């Protein structure tokens, strides 16, 4: 296993509204959050994405400064970057998409750079399943681990291709609402069983502020959500989670249920930083020491002793 992590996803501009305020156009996109999150680990991380000529130099420099390899990022002259705007409801766990402008995404022909065709872990971020499949098809051999994410936008209109993709991945990471939407099961345990029957050996179901569940056969691991005093903007929490999850696994060069339990905690800790400020700000500033402290907080939160007799 090598330490290469290949990430496919959007690099975007977002406009976000939460009960605490509203942003103008800010940096977003799942590849952006995943890359920033994974950059905290010892990995050679390459992004595959597409941007327009409006994508600011400052944002490219930010990603380069985190040692992210942008060889797979195409910039189209005279075109606009993918734009998404969303509004969070009072509980911050649910949101409504106000606008999705695909822009450059409609012209996206992803090209995996030669030096990433042997990446051990491929993370197919939330995107058109046709594009996710195209990336997988360009790999020299089957990667050690293929992880995928998706969202309602793609589940509603691309179901056949999505099912084909689910059949080819090892890990699917989605939120509770998406798991129910795909399987039509209310119980998350049943939903996870159905998802495993579709292909992936491992299923991660994110439950927003209530943590995440990891399923593998009959094994289940439950990670808590860290009770935070202030949550400003949940955008990118799922991407930061999975970026940390994959970054940790590739650094450890280990793929097992045991390693994934720790990876889920690491991902949850990263996501807990992301939600504390609008956009990518908190994730950009976070230090490795702060991350370690927060992982410790997760440990203390769930550690208890019990004597039954
Ligand atoms: P998350 O909050 O983890 O679901 O991810 C939020 C990010 O996903 C935002 O920064 C958006 O730019 C990006 N996004 C929103 N809609 C889509 C979509 N349909 N496909 C790909 N990325 C999207």
């Amino acid at each position: 296993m090598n330490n290469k992590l290949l990430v496919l996803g959007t690099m975007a501009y977002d406009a976000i509204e939460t009960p605490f305020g509203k942003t103008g156009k800010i940096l977003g996109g799942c590849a952006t959050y995943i890359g920033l999150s994974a950059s905290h680990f010892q990995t050679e991380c390459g992004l595959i994405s597409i941007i327009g000529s409006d994508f600011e130099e400052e944002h490219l420099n930010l990603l380069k400064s985190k040692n992210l390899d942008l060889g797979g990022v195409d910039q189209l002259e005279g075109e606009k970057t993918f734009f998404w705007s969303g509004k969070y409801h009072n509980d911050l766990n649910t949101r409504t998409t106000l606008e999705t402008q695909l822009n450059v995404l409609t012209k996206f022909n992803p090209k995996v750079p030669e030096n990433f065709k042997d990446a051990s872990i491929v993370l197919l971020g939330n995107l058109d399943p046709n594009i996710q499949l195209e990336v997988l098809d360009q790999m020299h051999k089957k990667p050690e681990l293929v992880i995928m994410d998706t969202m309602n936008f793609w589940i509603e209109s691309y179901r056949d291709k999505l099912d084909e993709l689910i059949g080819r991945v090892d890990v699917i990471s989605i939120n509770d609402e998406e798991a129910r939407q795909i399987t039509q099961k209310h119980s998350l345990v049943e939903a996870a069983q159905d998802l495993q029957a579709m292909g992936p050996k491992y299923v991660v179901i994110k439950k927003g502020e209530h943590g995440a569940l990891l399923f593998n056969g009959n094994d289940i691991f439950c990670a808590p959500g860290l009770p935070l005093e202030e949550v400003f903007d949940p955008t990118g929490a799922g991407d930061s989670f999975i970026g940390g999850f994959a970054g940790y696994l590739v650094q450890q060069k280990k793929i097992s249920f045991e390693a994934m339990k720790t990876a889920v905690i690491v991902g949850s800790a990263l996501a807990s930083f992301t939600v504390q400020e609008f956009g990518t700000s908190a994730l950009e500033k976070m230090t490795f020491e702060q991350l370690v402290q927060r992982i410790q907080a997760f440990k203390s939160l769930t550690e208890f002793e019990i004597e039954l007799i």
Side-chain angles (χ1 to χ4, degrees), residues 26 28 36 40 59 70 98 102 115 146 149 156 202 214 233 251 265 270 275-276 279 296 298-299:
I26 57 169
L36 288 174
H40 291 282
H59 294 141
L70 304 185
L98 301 175
L102 294 176
N115 56 332
V146 180
D149 187 8
E156 278 151 25
Y202 301 94
L214 167 69
D233 171 19
Q251 170 184 282
I265 297 293
L270 277 150
V275 302
Q276 285 186 306
Q296 195 56 47
F298 268 90
K299 200 162 175 250

Side-chain angles (χ1 to χ4, degrees), residues 6-10 31 46-50 72-73 108 110-113 127 135:
L6 179 66
V7 174
L8 166 73
T10 45
L47 305 188
I48 304 187
S49 195
I50 187 160
V73 177
F108 192 14
K111 278 187 207 74
V112 178
L127 252 189
V135 165

Side-chain angles (χ1 to χ4, degrees), residues 9-14 16 27-30 33 82-84 88 95 97 100 102 105 125-128 149-151 153-154 175 178 206 234-240:
T10 45
M11 286 164 65
Y13 284 120
D14 292 344
I16 297 156
L27 177 65
C30 59
Y33 283 102
F82 173 75
F83 172 78
W84 174 79
Y88 288 85
R95 72 178 177 206
T97 290
T100 301
L102 294 176
L105 270 198
N126 172 28
L127 252 189
D128 179 340
D149 187 8
T150 190
M151 75 185 281
F153 186 87
W154 308 110
N175 68 33
E178 291 152 358
K206 298 162 285 177
T235 309
D239 305 316
S240 311

Side-chain angles (χ1 to χ4, degrees), residues 304-308:
F304 64 91
E305 285 174 17
I306 185 167
E307 266 183 46
L308 288 176

Side-chain angles (χ1 to χ4, degrees), residues 131-201:
I131 295 176
Q132 292 173 306
L133 282 164
E134 269 179 58
V135 165
L136 210 45
D137 287 338
Q138 289 177 45
M139 300 306 289
H140 279 327
K141 59 178 172 88
K142 190 184 173 314
E144 312 257 347
L145 195 73
V146 180
I147 307 171
M148 69 164 285
D149 187 8
T150 190
M151 75 185 281
N152 52 0
F153 186 87
W154 308 110
I155 300 170
E156 278 151 25
S157 322
Y158 294 75
R159 193 53 206 266
D160 288 349
K161 277 287 159 188
L162 184 70
D163 285 359
E164 186 183 331
L165 176 71
I166 295 175
R168 289 182 57 187
V169 305
D170 306 292
V171 183
I172 181 166
S173 168
I174 48 181
N175 68 33
D176 41 7
E177 200 187 321
E178 291 152 358
R180 291 186 174 117
Q181 194 182 359
I182 295 175
T183 62
Q184 298 294 308
K185 291 280 165 62
H186 186 77
S187 148
L188 293 180
V189 176
E190 279 190 329
Q193 282 163 354
D194 284 12
L195 286 163
Q196 286 183 82
M198 291 169 78
K201 261 175 79 181

